[in-house]
mmCIF file of all heavy atoms in Angstrom:
data_model
loop_
_atom_site.group_PDB
_atom_site.id
_atom_site.type_symbol
_atom_site.label_atom_id
_atom_site.label_comp_id
_atom_site.label_asym_id
_atom_site.label_seq_id
_atom_site.Cartn_x
_atom_site.Cartn_y
_atom_site.Cartn_z
ATOM 1 N N PHE R 535 15.182 -18.644 55.343
ATOM 2 C CA PHE R 535 14.539 -17.659 54.483
ATOM 3 C C PHE R 535 15.464 -16.471 54.229
ATOM 4 O O PHE R 535 15.516 -15.935 53.128
ATOM 5 C CB PHE R 535 13.233 -17.175 55.114
ATOM 6 C CG PHE R 535 12.158 -18.218 55.160
ATOM 7 C CD1 PHE R 535 11.252 -18.259 56.216
ATOM 8 C CD2 PHE R 535 12.039 -19.162 54.154
ATOM 9 C CE1 PHE R 535 10.262 -19.219 56.271
ATOM 10 C CE2 PHE R 535 11.048 -20.135 54.194
ATOM 11 C CZ PHE R 535 10.156 -20.163 55.259
ATOM 12 N N MET R 539 17.536 -16.077 50.628
ATOM 13 C CA MET R 539 17.262 -14.852 49.886
ATOM 14 C C MET R 539 18.551 -14.267 49.336
ATOM 15 O O MET R 539 18.645 -13.880 48.163
ATOM 16 C CB MET R 539 16.563 -13.848 50.799
ATOM 17 C CG MET R 539 16.420 -12.449 50.199
ATOM 18 S SD MET R 539 16.017 -11.233 51.462
ATOM 19 C CE MET R 539 17.480 -11.273 52.491
ATOM 20 N N ILE R 673 7.155 -16.851 59.976
ATOM 21 C CA ILE R 673 6.174 -16.369 58.999
ATOM 22 C C ILE R 673 6.498 -14.928 58.591
ATOM 23 O O ILE R 673 6.437 -14.568 57.415
ATOM 24 C CB ILE R 673 4.755 -16.459 59.585
ATOM 25 C CG1 ILE R 673 4.381 -17.930 59.829
ATOM 26 C CG2 ILE R 673 3.739 -15.805 58.646
ATOM 27 C CD1 ILE R 673 3.054 -18.125 60.522
ATOM 28 N N MET R 674 6.856 -14.120 59.593
ATOM 29 C CA MET R 674 7.226 -12.732 59.303
ATOM 30 C C MET R 674 8.449 -12.663 58.393
ATOM 31 O O MET R 674 8.496 -11.853 57.454
ATOM 32 C CB MET R 674 7.516 -11.992 60.609
ATOM 33 C CG MET R 674 6.288 -11.689 61.441
ATOM 34 S SD MET R 674 6.724 -10.788 62.946
ATOM 35 C CE MET R 674 5.096 -10.479 63.632
ATOM 36 N N THR R 675 9.448 -13.510 58.681
ATOM 37 C CA THR R 675 10.656 -13.467 57.855
ATOM 38 C C THR R 675 10.373 -13.970 56.442
ATOM 39 O O THR R 675 10.936 -13.449 55.473
ATOM 40 C CB THR R 675 11.781 -14.295 58.491
ATOM 41 O OG1 THR R 675 11.304 -15.623 58.774
ATOM 42 C CG2 THR R 675 12.264 -13.667 59.785
ATOM 43 N N LEU R 676 9.501 -14.951 56.323
ATOM 44 C CA LEU R 676 9.126 -15.431 54.990
ATOM 45 C C LEU R 676 8.515 -14.301 54.166
ATOM 46 O O LEU R 676 8.881 -14.079 53.010
ATOM 47 C CB LEU R 676 8.134 -16.581 55.115
ATOM 48 C CG LEU R 676 7.496 -17.078 53.809
ATOM 49 C CD1 LEU R 676 8.559 -17.617 52.868
ATOM 50 C CD2 LEU R 676 6.443 -18.147 54.094
ATOM 51 N N ILE R 677 7.594 -13.568 54.769
ATOM 52 C CA ILE R 677 6.943 -12.454 54.070
ATOM 53 C C ILE R 677 7.943 -11.352 53.740
ATOM 54 O O ILE R 677 7.995 -10.842 52.618
ATOM 55 C CB ILE R 677 5.780 -11.894 54.919
ATOM 56 C CG1 ILE R 677 4.673 -12.941 55.060
ATOM 57 C CG2 ILE R 677 5.226 -10.616 54.300
ATOM 58 C CD1 ILE R 677 3.586 -12.572 56.056
ATOM 59 N N ALA R 678 8.757 -10.992 54.734
ATOM 60 C CA ALA R 678 9.692 -9.875 54.548
ATOM 61 C C ALA R 678 10.742 -10.174 53.488
ATOM 62 O O ALA R 678 11.032 -9.328 52.634
ATOM 63 C CB ALA R 678 10.374 -9.547 55.882
ATOM 64 N N TYR R 679 11.299 -11.374 53.533
ATOM 65 C CA TYR R 679 12.408 -11.680 52.636
ATOM 66 C C TYR R 679 11.956 -12.047 51.231
ATOM 67 O O TYR R 679 12.529 -11.590 50.245
ATOM 68 C CB TYR R 679 13.250 -12.824 53.205
ATOM 69 C CG TYR R 679 13.808 -12.540 54.591
ATOM 70 C CD1 TYR R 679 14.023 -13.568 55.490
ATOM 71 C CD2 TYR R 679 14.118 -11.251 54.988
ATOM 72 C CE1 TYR R 679 14.530 -13.324 56.760
ATOM 73 C CE2 TYR R 679 14.618 -10.995 56.254
ATOM 74 C CZ TYR R 679 14.825 -12.034 57.132
ATOM 75 O OH TYR R 679 15.322 -11.773 58.378
ATOM 76 N N TRP R 680 10.903 -12.869 51.143
ATOM 77 C CA TRP R 680 10.523 -13.393 49.836
ATOM 78 C C TRP R 680 9.401 -12.623 49.149
ATOM 79 O O TRP R 680 9.197 -12.770 47.945
ATOM 80 C CB TRP R 680 10.137 -14.867 49.971
ATOM 81 C CG TRP R 680 11.353 -15.708 50.188
ATOM 82 C CD1 TRP R 680 11.975 -15.968 51.378
ATOM 83 C CD2 TRP R 680 12.138 -16.348 49.188
ATOM 84 N NE1 TRP R 680 13.088 -16.745 51.175
ATOM 85 C CE2 TRP R 680 13.211 -17.001 49.842
ATOM 86 C CE3 TRP R 680 12.035 -16.452 47.803
ATOM 87 C CZ2 TRP R 680 14.174 -17.730 49.154
ATOM 88 C CZ3 TRP R 680 12.991 -17.191 47.112
ATOM 89 C CH2 TRP R 680 14.044 -17.819 47.800
ATOM 90 N N MET R 681 8.674 -11.798 49.923
ATOM 91 C CA MET R 681 7.602 -11.016 49.307
ATOM 92 C C MET R 681 7.926 -9.530 49.255
ATOM 93 O O MET R 681 7.180 -8.750 48.663
ATOM 94 C CB MET R 681 6.288 -11.249 50.057
ATOM 95 C CG MET R 681 5.828 -12.702 50.020
ATOM 96 S SD MET R 681 4.285 -13.007 50.927
ATOM 97 C CE MET R 681 3.115 -12.129 49.896
ATOM 98 N N ILE R 682 9.041 -9.139 49.911
ATOM 99 C CA ILE R 682 9.470 -7.740 49.854
ATOM 100 C C ILE R 682 10.868 -7.642 49.265
ATOM 101 O O ILE R 682 11.074 -6.995 48.242
ATOM 102 C CB ILE R 682 9.424 -7.078 51.250
ATOM 103 C CG1 ILE R 682 7.989 -7.086 51.794
ATOM 104 C CG2 ILE R 682 9.957 -5.642 51.184
ATOM 105 C CD1 ILE R 682 7.852 -6.529 53.200
ATOM 106 N N CYS R 683 11.843 -8.296 49.897
ATOM 107 C CA CYS R 683 13.241 -8.188 49.457
ATOM 108 C C CYS R 683 13.425 -8.524 47.979
ATOM 109 O O CYS R 683 13.902 -7.696 47.200
ATOM 110 C CB CYS R 683 14.130 -9.127 50.275
ATOM 111 S SG CYS R 683 14.630 -8.500 51.879
ATOM 112 N N LEU R 684 13.056 -9.732 47.615
ATOM 113 C CA LEU R 684 13.324 -10.190 46.250
ATOM 114 C C LEU R 684 12.509 -9.446 45.188
ATOM 115 O O LEU R 684 13.076 -8.998 44.185
ATOM 116 C CB LEU R 684 13.085 -11.696 46.150
ATOM 117 C CG LEU R 684 14.186 -12.573 46.753
ATOM 118 C CD1 LEU R 684 13.806 -14.036 46.673
ATOM 119 C CD2 LEU R 684 15.513 -12.329 46.052
ATOM 120 N N PRO R 685 11.183 -9.287 45.369
ATOM 121 C CA PRO R 685 10.437 -8.549 44.337
ATOM 122 C C PRO R 685 10.913 -7.112 44.161
ATOM 123 O O PRO R 685 11.090 -6.655 43.034
ATOM 124 C CB PRO R 685 8.993 -8.593 44.853
ATOM 125 C CG PRO R 685 8.933 -9.800 45.715
ATOM 126 C CD PRO R 685 10.274 -9.870 46.378
ATOM 127 N N VAL R 686 11.128 -6.416 45.283
ATOM 128 C CA VAL R 686 11.587 -5.021 45.189
ATOM 129 C C VAL R 686 12.961 -4.962 44.539
ATOM 130 O O VAL R 686 13.221 -4.139 43.649
ATOM 131 C CB VAL R 686 11.624 -4.364 46.594
ATOM 132 C CG1 VAL R 686 12.307 -2.997 46.535
ATOM 133 C CG2 VAL R 686 10.207 -4.218 47.141
ATOM 134 N N GLY R 687 13.871 -5.830 44.981
ATOM 135 C CA GLY R 687 15.212 -5.845 44.408
ATOM 136 C C GLY R 687 15.212 -6.156 42.933
ATOM 137 O O GLY R 687 15.905 -5.505 42.140
ATOM 138 N N LEU R 689 12.741 -5.805 40.721
ATOM 139 C CA LEU R 689 12.139 -4.718 39.948
ATOM 140 C C LEU R 689 13.101 -3.550 39.780
ATOM 141 O O LEU R 689 13.232 -2.984 38.684
ATOM 142 C CB LEU R 689 10.845 -4.250 40.632
ATOM 143 C CG LEU R 689 9.659 -5.229 40.570
ATOM 144 C CD1 LEU R 689 8.522 -4.722 41.440
ATOM 145 C CD2 LEU R 689 9.193 -5.410 39.125
ATOM 146 N N GLY R 704 16.485 -3.470 47.698
ATOM 147 C CA GLY R 704 15.478 -4.476 47.999
ATOM 148 C C GLY R 704 15.796 -5.235 49.274
ATOM 149 O O GLY R 704 14.925 -5.462 50.117
ATOM 150 N N SER R 707 15.141 -2.993 52.342
ATOM 151 C CA SER R 707 13.713 -2.786 52.625
ATOM 152 C C SER R 707 13.101 -4.009 53.299
ATOM 153 O O SER R 707 12.298 -3.887 54.232
ATOM 154 C CB SER R 707 12.963 -2.454 51.328
ATOM 155 O OG SER R 707 13.029 -3.537 50.413
ATOM 156 N N GLY R 708 13.471 -5.197 52.853
ATOM 157 C CA GLY R 708 12.941 -6.414 53.457
ATOM 158 C C GLY R 708 13.425 -6.620 54.880
ATOM 159 O O GLY R 708 12.655 -7.013 55.760
ATOM 160 N N ALA R 711 11.558 -4.272 57.149
ATOM 161 C CA ALA R 711 10.199 -4.766 57.407
ATOM 162 C C ALA R 711 10.217 -5.889 58.442
ATOM 163 O O ALA R 711 9.363 -5.943 59.341
ATOM 164 C CB ALA R 711 9.577 -5.263 56.099
#
Side-chain angles (χ1 to χ4, degrees):
F535 291 146
M539 171 196 64
I673 295 175
M674 288 181 176
T675 53
L676 172 62
I677 294 171
Y679 302 150
W680 287 85
M681 298 179 68
I682 299 177
C683 278
L684 284 177
V686 171
L689 289 172
S707 63

